[in-house]
Amino acid sequence: MISRQQIKYITSLQQKKYRNEHKAYVIEGEKMVEEALHQIPERIELICYTSKYIDSIKFPASIASKVSHVSDKDFANISSLKNPQGILAVIHQPDTNNIDDNSFSEFILVLDSVRDPGNLGTIIRLCDWFGIHHIVCSDDTVDCFNPKVVQASMGAIFRVELKYIDLNDWLLKFKKNKNYVIYGATMDGANLYSTELRKPAILIMGNESNGISKEIQELLDQRISIPNQSEFPEKSESLNVSIATAIVCAEFSRQFN
Amino acid sequence: MISRQQIKYITSLQQKKYRNEHKAYVIEGEKMVEEALHQIPERIELICYTSKYIDSIKFPASIASKVSHVSDKDFANISSLKNPQGILAVIHQPDTNNIDDNSFSEFILVLDSVRDPGNLGTIIRLCDWFGIHHIVCSDDTVDCFNPKVVQASMGAIFRVELKYIDLNDWLLKFKKNKNYVIYGATMDGANLYSTELRKPAILIMGNESNGISKEIQELLDQRISIPNQSEFPEKSESLNVSIATAIVCAEFSRQFN
């Protein structure tokens, strides 16, 4: 059983305002909850499940007090999915503001105003694949704890750290103190495949419609482009930002491994 | 003005059954309609627009008889989008069954049971970018004229040809008559970046959950994998299929240009 108040609390977390206020977010589905149980048990605030999972998931004794068996009807109310999967958890957010710049590894992905939740989730997932631990996001990038981002990340949200910050300020300071090469994916950059990529590196990817903002473009050391191979006069003008990010990260990975 | 019958016809095209029956599909938004006007004017059956576009789009005299000015209310009824953009067109489908195998170029992408419309649309868009003209799809791959596929393709659906077919039969025949190397992206394949890729080539990408089906796997000449660089014991087990397709197509493009 869960109380009306708990129902209200969980549904409130579909909104960024309340996620920020409570420093919490929701994950849904058996796979995500099992990953959380294994990887970040200390950050689980609450698990709700329906009869469907009564026999299939074993919860460790240490979190017994946080687990609630709820009716299908209550579950439909707290789920943000069209087809509720019958299990969800409330997770305590890690801090996305105060990650120490000195903890960064030799490759940092920077997102300048990426707005689509599906794109951000997919980017978090591919960063996990390529061993990229840190993503620095402009303040207007979509919230990484948005339910659609979390679902698209497929559990990678537990492993990749995101920092939200005033990007211009941060890059100016970072550029002054560190010797990272700052790469940006632009339409008019040098051919990615004829460029000898160097590390430590920052790779900046821009907004879905407008690319990297003007003020950030001024901070780039090297503009790079994925060559368009179409021979049609009318052709796709750009790639989806998650696709472009994947291709550039793959090339960094290829050159450095 | 449009008739009740036209409204019924246009909305029916949201369903695959009626799209097949009428050999037609719907595109929405100013950019898509303008691309259709430039690239495939002969395939436009009908354009509907609201007052919003009355001054901004000039329709050529040749299609005047196919253009209808409709009320916002009628438009809301015919649009499949949550936020209708005020302009849509009905397009005559190209034939997706009888594309001649001899028209294929040196690189063919094959999709084995890709189900998510967003993934297929994104894959069509990236094929256009990489100059890949042909995608051969198993019969159970999501319909390329599904509204979500069409929107995600961003106009690339007008340029990339898709063929739907019994994949096993087609591959068996194709293998017998042509000298293409058949590559498949699998979890246990050779490192993509240590593999010398050869052309002419077929690249097979599999289903979102299950990868390439067993019977199709038996037809592969070479299994390839995108190396997972994560050092975490728990990590992303796979990449989204559109992301994986992009990375492999980019590597083909890099090695051949």
Side-chain angles (χ1 to χ4, degrees):
Chain A
M1 277 286 292
I2 50 171
S3 64
R4 268 172 191 277
Q5 212 172 357
Q6 280 176 310
I7 293 178
K8 208 176 145 190
Y9 170 60
I10 297 169
T11 52
S12 81
L13 298 176
Q14 291 179 23
Q15 291 173 257
K16 184 176 176 181
K17 179 181 154 190
Y18 296 107
R19 287 196 299 271
N20 284 349
E21 186 181 319
H22 298 295
K23 293 275 165 222
Y25 67 103
V26 176
I27 60 172
E28 300 207 38
E30 182 177 359
K31 205 161 171 302
M32 286 284 277
V33 173
E34 290 215 316
E35 283 202 38
L37 283 165
H38 280 106
Q39 295 173 46
I40 50 160
E42 73 290 353
R43 288 210 268 124
I44 296 174
E45 283 185 16
L46 192 67
I47 295 178
C48 299
Y49 67 100
T50 63
S51 302
K52 184 179 164 190
Y53 287 104
I54 207 154
D55 293 320
S56 62
I57 298 193
K58 297 279 166 261
F59 300 105
S62 56
I63 65 151
S65 65
K66 299 175 179 172
V67 177
S68 298
H69 178 201
V70 305
S71 67
D72 288 350
K73 200 181 145 207
D74 280 346
F75 197 88
N77 281 327
I78 56 175
S79 173
S80 73
L81 301 179
K82 256 192 202 166
N83 303 308
Q85 295 184 46
I87 186 159
L88 64 71
V90 176
I91 306 291
H92 185 69
Q93 291 183 9
D95 193 335
T96 53
N97 295 114
N98 299 313
I99 300 172
D100 182 359
D101 288 354
N102 292 316
S103 72
F104 287 152
S105 56
E106 283 206 302
F107 184 87
I108 305 166
L109 179 64
V110 168
L111 302 179
D112 181 15
S113 193
V114 167
R115 300 296 180 90
D116 179 81
N119 282 339
L120 181 57
T122 304
I123 289 171
I124 295 170
R125 184 174 170 196
L126 73 90
C127 280
D128 189 35
W129 183 273
F130 284 115
I132 300 164
H133 303 305
H134 297 104
I135 304 177
V136 176
C137 303
S138 63
D139 283 322
D140 60 353
T141 293
V142 59
D143 178 28
C144 65
F145 301 117
N146 171 308
K148 285 182 190 163
V149 177
V150 170
Q151 290 308 116
S153 86
M154 302 276 280
I157 188 76
F158 304 146
R159 296 176 292 273
V160 176
E161 283 193 311
L162 288 96
K163 173 177 179 132
Y164 284 74
I165 205 154
D166 181 312
L167 204 51
N168 200 46
D169 275 10
W170 179 80
L171 274 171
L172 279 170
K173 272 185 221 151
F174 200 87
K175 214 173 150 80
K176 212 193 282 176
N177 301 324
K178 309 264 182 186
N179 63 339
Y180 282 59
V181 185
I182 304 182
Y183 294 92
T186 61
M187 297 308 294
D188 62 352
N191 183 330
L192 170 67
Y193 298 116
S194 349
T195 304
E196 194 186 327
L197 301 168
R198 286 165 295 153
K199 273 193 186 174
I202 286 177
L203 168 64
I204 306 182
M205 303 298 298
N207 170 265
E208 286 86 349
S209 303
N210 307 315
I212 301 173
S213 60
K214 271 193 190 165
E215 64 174 354
I216 302 294
Q217 284 202 28
E218 284 170 21
L219 303 174
L220 300 180
D221 296 316
Q222 169 89 61
R223 305 159 80 90
I224 47 178
S225 284
I226 301 161
N228 188 328
Q229 306 291 347
S230 171
E231 64 261 41
F232 290 116
E234 314 243 15
K235 55 196 178 191
S236 291
E237 283 161 21
S238 64
L239 286 163
N240 169 291
V241 63
S242 65
I243 294 289
T245 305
I247 292 171
V248 181
C249 290
E251 181 59 11
F252 267 94
S253 172
R254 187 188 72 82
Q255 290 196 22
F256 286 96
N257 284 291
Chain B
M1 279 285 293
I2 49 171
S3 64
R4 266 171 193 278
Q5 211 173 356
Q6 281 176 309
I7 293 178
K8 210 176 143 190
Y9 170 58
I10 297 170
T11 52
S12 80
L13 298 177
Q14 291 178 24
Q15 290 171 260
K16 184 177 175 182
K17 179 181 154 193
Y18 295 107
R19 286 195 299 271
N20 284 350
E21 187 181 319
H22 299 294
K23 293 278 168 218
Y25 68 104
V26 176
I27 59 172
E28 300 208 38
E30 183 177 357
K31 204 160 172 300
M32 286 285 276
V33 174
E34 290 215 316
E35 283 202 40
L37 283 167
H38 280 105
Q39 294 172 47
I40 49 158
E42 73 289 353
R43 288 210 268 123
I44 297 175
E45 284 185 16
L46 191 66
I47 295 179
C48 299
Y49 68 99
T50 62
S51 302
K52 185 179 164 191
Y53 288 103
I54 207 154
D55 293 320
S56 62
I57 298 192
K58 299 276 165 263
F59 299 105
S62 57
I63 65 151
S65 65
K66 299 173 178 172
V67 177
S68 298
H69 178 200
V70 306
S71 68
D72 288 350
K73 201 181 145 207
D74 279 347
F75 198 89
N77 281 328
I78 57 176
S79 173
S80 74
L81 300 178
K82 257 193 202 166
N83 303 308
Q85 295 184 45
I87 186 160
L88 65 69
V90 176
I91 306 290
H92 185 70
Q93 290 184 10
D95 192 335
T96 55
N97 295 114
N98 298 313
I99 299 172
D100 181 0
D101 288 356
N102 292 316
S103 72
F104 287 152
S105 55
E106 283 207 300
F107 184 87
I108 305 166
L109 179 65
V110 168
L111 302 179
D112 181 15
S113 193
V114 167
R115 299 297 179 92
D116 180 80
N119 283 340
L120 179 57
T122 304
I123 289 171
I124 295 171
R125 183 175 170 194
L126 73 90
C127 281
D128 188 36
W129 182 273
F130 284 116
I132 300 164
H133 303 305
H134 297 102
I135 305 177
V136 175
C137 303
S138 63
D139 283 322
D140 61 353
T141 293
V142 59
D143 177 28
C144 64
F145 301 116
N146 172 309
K148 286 182 188 162
V149 177
V150 171
Q151 290 307 117
S153 86
M154 301 275 281
I157 188 77
F158 304 146
R159 295 176 293 272
V160 176
E161 284 193 310
L162 289 96
K163 174 179 178 129
Y164 284 76
I165 203 152
D166 181 311
L167 204 51
N168 200 47
D169 275 9
W170 178 80
L171 274 171
L172 280 171
K173 273 185 221 150
F174 200 87
K175 216 175 149 81
K176 213 194 278 178
N177 301 322
K178 310 264 182 185
N179 62 339
Y180 282 60
V181 186
I182 304 182
Y183 294 93
T186 62
M187 297 309 293
D188 62 351
N191 183 331
L192 170 66
Y193 298 115
S194 352
T195 303
E196 194 188 327
L197 301 169
R198 286 165 295 153
K199 271 192 187 176
I202 285 176
L203 168 64
I204 306 182
M205 304 297 299
N207 171 265
E208 285 87 348
S209 305
N210 307 317
I212 300 173
S213 60
K214 272 195 189 160
E215 64 173 356
I216 301 293
Q217 285 202 29
E218 284 170 21
L219 303 175
L220 300 180
D221 297 315
Q222 169 88 61
R223 304 160 80 91
I224 47 179
S225 283
I226 300 161
N228 188 329
Q229 306 291 346
S230 171
E231 64 261 40
F232 291 116
E234 314 242 15
K235 57 195 175 191
S236 291
E237 282 161 22
S238 65
L239 286 164
N240 169 292
V241 64
S242 65
I243 294 289
T245 305
I247 293 171
V248 181
C249 289
E251 181 59 11
F252 267 94
S253 172
R254 186 187 73 80
Q255 290 197 21
F256 286 96
N257 284 291

